[in-house]
Amino acid sequence: MNEHPILGQLVLGYAPMLDRQRRVTATRLTVFPQRPDQSPDGAALLRALVEAWPEGGDALLLNVASEGLLHQLLTTPLPVHIGLEVPAFMAADASHAPLLAALQARGNALYLKGRLATPLPRDVLGCFRQALVELDDERRDGAEAAGGSARGLAFVQTGIRCASDVEAAFGRGATAVIGWPIEEAVPKGSGKSTPPDLKVIVELINRVDREEAIDRLESVLKNDPTLAFRLVRYINSAAFGLRVEISSFRHAIMMLGYQKLKRWLALLLASASSDANMRPVMYAAVRRGLLMEELVRSAGDEQMASEMFICGVFSLLDVMMAQPFEQLLKSIPVPQDVSDALVQGSGRFHPYLELARAVEQEALFDIRERAEALMLSAADLNHALLRALITARQLE
């Protein structure tokens, strides 16, 4: 994407919106001003976002932590695939009613956020598609208190952290959830084996690591034609950027070589589970790997970028396979830097992994602290994030 100076004035985080089938229906992008006294240019922000997030595919939902910037966006004709979260205190301001009505009439999705002191007028309440209820507020105050006076609106549960949060939210009637249900503790002594639908990929990764003959690699894929199709589809995606269409696994090896092929097998492993509850985990793993790769791409070290990608993509394999990394990485070959980050929580890749996690948690101070420790500017981090999200959309 092009350079956008506005991205140097912001701190960005993101999270998926999931429906009952655990499909991602929108991406929530949280926007903080780099300085609290700053009101960045809303039009410039939109130009950057529209380039990164053109219409088509899942929608984009903006959670803007700046009253001045949000007011600019309320007065701007937004692309219809971009929605806004509107705090209750702004929704209750009568001067905002015509702005909300205009956006709703255009087709923009508006979400009411926070507790209302008094009920909204019916015409204002009707501008909102749903209310957002934060899980921590609900636990503390109860669903009715957290929802305030927004009765009559369906609600989306935010602040989701694990699969049980998702189940409970839908059990209470939520229409969707926002968050990362990926914080599942894996018992240290877990002895589960690799799920059958992933064994072929693990075997193939090992064989590619040993650089076995193409015929032997193809014989593995013959046992799973669907896997071969998916691998070729990934390599032919716009994200890969090849000028020549890859027609077979043999052709892929000839064009890419073993080292680059390992990158795409890692992606395939992290996105191959058939368990619906693993969809948000796979979504996170792919984007985490792409973000970590983008963070070091400008250094010009192609091998480091590739290994960083594998580190991010594999960072949730323990959740997907219900095995601790100490056990997992005995059967899946990874570079030493990747092993150090995943098993020991140390080494030169680990700070990048922690930064990616902070971005996912939309944790302003953690993002700043970890980016500064890596000597990454806000502009560098935000451009890397948007490029990663663009590439992820191209893979789908």
Side-chain angles (χ1 to χ4, degrees):
M1 64 180 295
N2 296 320
E3 292 299 313
H4 291 276
I6 184 67
L7 295 180
Q9 302 172 32
L10 306 170
V11 177
L12 302 179
Y14 77 108
M17 178 185 285
L18 309 167
D19 66 13
R20 287 181 175 271
Q21 286 71 47
R22 288 26 170 200
R23 293 178 301 221
V24 176
T25 58
T27 296
R28 177 204 220 183
L29 190 70
T30 295
V31 181
F32 301 97
Q34 180 75 298
R35 290 170 38 195
D37 60 343
Q38 195 177 50
S39 184
D41 184 346
L45 172 62
L46 283 178
R47 285 194 293 273
L49 294 181
V50 169
E51 181 183 339
W53 212 273
E55 191 171 354
D58 58 315
L60 182 63
L61 175 61
L62 296 183
N63 173 31
V64 180
S66 163
E67 185 177 349
L69 178 54
L70 182 54
H71 187 270
Q72 290 182 58
L73 296 176
L74 287 174
T75 60
T76 303
L78 299 178
V80 293
H81 67 293
I82 296 181
L84 281 180
E85 298 182 16
V86 181
F89 77 90
M90 292 185 71
D93 184 337
S95 68
H96 291 142
L99 305 177
L100 297 173
L103 286 169
Q104 192 264 346
R106 282 178 56 83
N108 296 105
L110 299 178
Y111 292 80
L112 182 62
K113 179 174 66 175
R115 186 178 305 166
L116 288 163
T118 59
L120 290 176
R122 186 178 298 275
D123 59 334
V124 175
L125 189 63
C127 292
F128 292 96
R129 186 170 295 183
Q130 297 185 82
L132 299 176
V133 177
E134 176 65 33
L135 181 59
D136 288 344
D137 290 342
E138 184 176 85
R139 285 169 171 165
R140 183 170 57 247
D141 301 327
E144 281 300 312
S149 302
R151 285 189 291 269
L153 285 180
F155 81 95
V156 175
Q157 189 89 79
T158 62
I160 295 297
R161 298 182 181 87
C162 60
S164 60
D165 290 344
V166 176
E167 294 291 346
F170 286 128
R172 288 188 295 269
T175 60
V177 300
I178 296 177
W180 297 99
I182 58 180
E183 295 182 9
E184 306 290 348
V186 178
K188 287 287 185 182
S190 175
K192 291 186 179 180
S193 60
T194 303
D197 53 344
L198 304 182
K199 280 185 175 179
V200 174
I201 307 176
V202 172
E203 181 182 354
L204 201 53
I205 289 174
N206 277 283
R207 288 176 181 257
V208 168
D209 188 66
R210 295 192 296 268
E211 297 189 2
E212 292 190 2
I214 294 177
D215 289 343
R216 299 189 66 181
L217 297 176
E218 282 191 315
S219 69
V220 176
L221 275 179
K222 286 178 181 177
N223 295 322
D224 194 336
T226 302
L227 174 61
F229 170 79
R230 290 188 63 201
L231 181 60
V232 171
R233 187 189 68 183
Y234 267 140
I235 294 171
N236 282 320
S237 70
F240 201 83
L242 287 181
R243 296 179 181 274
V244 178
E245 183 174 347
I246 299 295
S247 57
S248 67
F249 182 66
R250 176 181 290 269
H251 189 195
I253 296 175
M254 292 170 62
M255 289 291 294
L256 304 177
Y258 289 93
Q259 291 304 312
K260 286 187 178 180
L261 188 59
K262 280 164 59 175
R263 177 187 195 277
W264 293 94
L265 287 171
L267 176 63
L268 202 60
L269 181 62
S271 59
S273 175
S274 57
D275 182 351
N277 284 317
M278 288 296 106
R279 286 174 184 161
V281 182
M282 294 186 290
Y283 181 94
V286 171
R287 282 152 183 80
R288 192 180 282 183
L290 290 168
L291 173 57
M292 291 177 66
E293 177 184 42
E294 289 292 344
L295 290 173
V296 299
R297 186 182 293 281
S298 62
D301 187 335
E302 186 176 340
Q303 181 174 342
M304 181 181 180
S306 180
E307 291 179 2
M308 197 78 78
F309 172 84
I310 290 173
C311 183
V313 165
F314 278 3
S315 64
L316 289 165
L317 277 186
D318 59 334
V319 176
M320 282 185 258
M321 296 191 175
Q323 297 178 48
F325 282 118
E326 294 92 332
Q327 179 178 332
L328 266 175
L329 299 188
K330 291 177 182 177
S331 59
I332 304 173
V334 297
Q336 188 61 48
D337 284 322
V338 175
S339 178
D340 290 344
L342 301 184
V343 179
Q344 306 298 334
S346 63
R348 62 176 182 152
F349 287 6
H350 189 251
Y352 292 92
L353 179 57
E354 288 296 289
L355 174 57
R357 286 171 173 152
V359 171
E360 293 165 3
Q361 296 303 318
E362 303 162 301
L364 173 61
F365 297 107
D366 288 345
I367 295 171
R368 279 179 173 163
E369 179 182 337
R370 287 162 185 167
E372 287 173 4
L374 290 166
M375 293 185 290
L376 287 167
S377 69
D380 289 339
L381 173 55
N382 292 330
H383 276 100
L385 174 59
L386 293 182
R387 284 194 298 267
L389 295 178
I390 290 169
T391 302
R393 280 163 61 88
Q394 291 172 338
L395 286 169
E396 294 170 344

